[in-house]
Amino acid sequence: MAEENTVFVGNKPPMNYVIAVITEFEQGTKEVVLKARGRAISRAVDAAEISRNRFMKDIEISDIKIGTEEVESEDGNKRNVSFMEIKLTKSS
Amino acid sequence: MAEENTVFVGNKPPMNYVIAVITEFEQGTKEVVLKARGRAISRAVDAAEISRNRFMKDIEISDIKIGTEEVESEDGNKRNVSFMEIKLTKSS
């Protein structure tokens, strides 16, 4: 998935990411990917659902991917975290 | 999705749900659905990833669904929560 239209979901309120998604689509892109790791995954789902149910009725979820990534923590240890990617596509 | 092979993911450690998934498959079922709402969604992803990466190499993610459900809280108010369903299928 192309990095340019990716919205990385972190610890901010879901509406921040909803606004980021809407902004991307308003700039003319047809595809936006919400990406999150660990606990932020549920927030990515919230952001996708709020975007398409409340704000942009013409976007749909075209793909969902989950997987595992290795991340290095501050103490240098490596651990596995789950990630999720939700691809949103504008139909009109 | 059939309720019988559904593992509902709540607030317990992910390993509890991994064990539930493995138990279902060992009883001969070919399909198990992990279902979670709200913050438990990230735990469902963890449980799916741990199940297939560490314990059962022959299961794969055959479908992922997200959506919104209306739930009634204790004070009688209704609110929307996101849900996620991860379908795991045994290939062998």
Side-chain angles (χ1 to χ4, degrees):
Chain A
M1 295 179 179
E3 290 296 301
E4 46 209 336
N5 299 329
T6 299
V7 172
F8 290 94
V9 177
N11 297 319
K12 293 176 189 164
M15 274 307 294
N16 288 46
Y17 307 108
V18 172
I19 291 163
V21 166
I22 294 170
T23 306
E24 287 280 352
F25 278 120
E26 282 183 348
Q27 281 165 3
T29 183
K30 294 287 176 194
E31 229 175 69
V32 176
V33 176
L34 281 162
K35 181 163 183 178
R37 289 201 292 211
R39 290 194 198 166
I41 285 174
S42 38
R43 200 167 297 119
V45 176
D46 287 341
E49 286 294 298
I50 295 168
S51 298
R52 71 180 182 127
N53 290 333
R54 284 202 232 155
F55 296 97
M56 302 190 84
K57 309 274 184 193
D58 58 344
I59 60 173
E60 55 183 40
I61 294 157
S62 51
D63 193 31
I64 303 175
K65 218 170 99 178
I66 63 172
T68 304
E69 282 177 346
E70 202 177 57
V71 290
E72 206 173 313
S73 52
E74 283 169 36
D75 56 13
N77 288 326
K78 282 171 183 164
R79 60 191 182 86
N80 290 326
V81 287
S82 303
F83 72 86
M84 182 178 188
E85 290 177 352
I86 305 170
K87 194 192 274 184
L88 300 169
T89 307
K90 199 170 181 175
S91 52
S92 60
Chain B
M1 295 182 180
E3 290 295 301
E4 46 208 336
N5 299 328
T6 299
V7 172
F8 289 95
V9 177
N11 296 319
K12 293 175 189 164
M15 273 308 293
N16 289 46
Y17 308 108
V18 172
I19 291 163
V21 166
I22 295 169
T23 306
E24 287 281 352
F25 278 120
E26 282 184 348
Q27 281 165 2
T29 183
K30 293 289 179 194
E31 230 175 69
V32 175
V33 177
L34 281 163
K35 180 163 184 177
R37 289 201 293 212
R39 289 193 199 168
I41 286 173
S42 40
R43 201 167 296 118
V45 176
D46 287 341
E49 286 294 297
I50 295 168
S51 297
R52 71 179 182 127
N53 291 333
R54 283 202 232 155
F55 295 98
M56 303 190 82
K57 308 275 182 191
D58 58 345
I59 60 173
E60 54 183 40
I61 294 156
S62 50
D63 193 31
I64 304 174
K65 219 170 98 178
I66 64 171
T68 304
E69 282 176 347
E70 202 176 58
V71 290
E72 205 174 314
S73 51
E74 284 169 36
D75 55 13
N77 289 325
K78 283 173 184 163
R79 62 193 179 83
N80 290 326
V81 288
S82 303
F83 72 85
M84 183 177 188
E85 289 177 353
I86 305 169
K87 194 192 275 182
L88 300 169
T89 306
K90 199 171 181 176
S91 52
S92 60

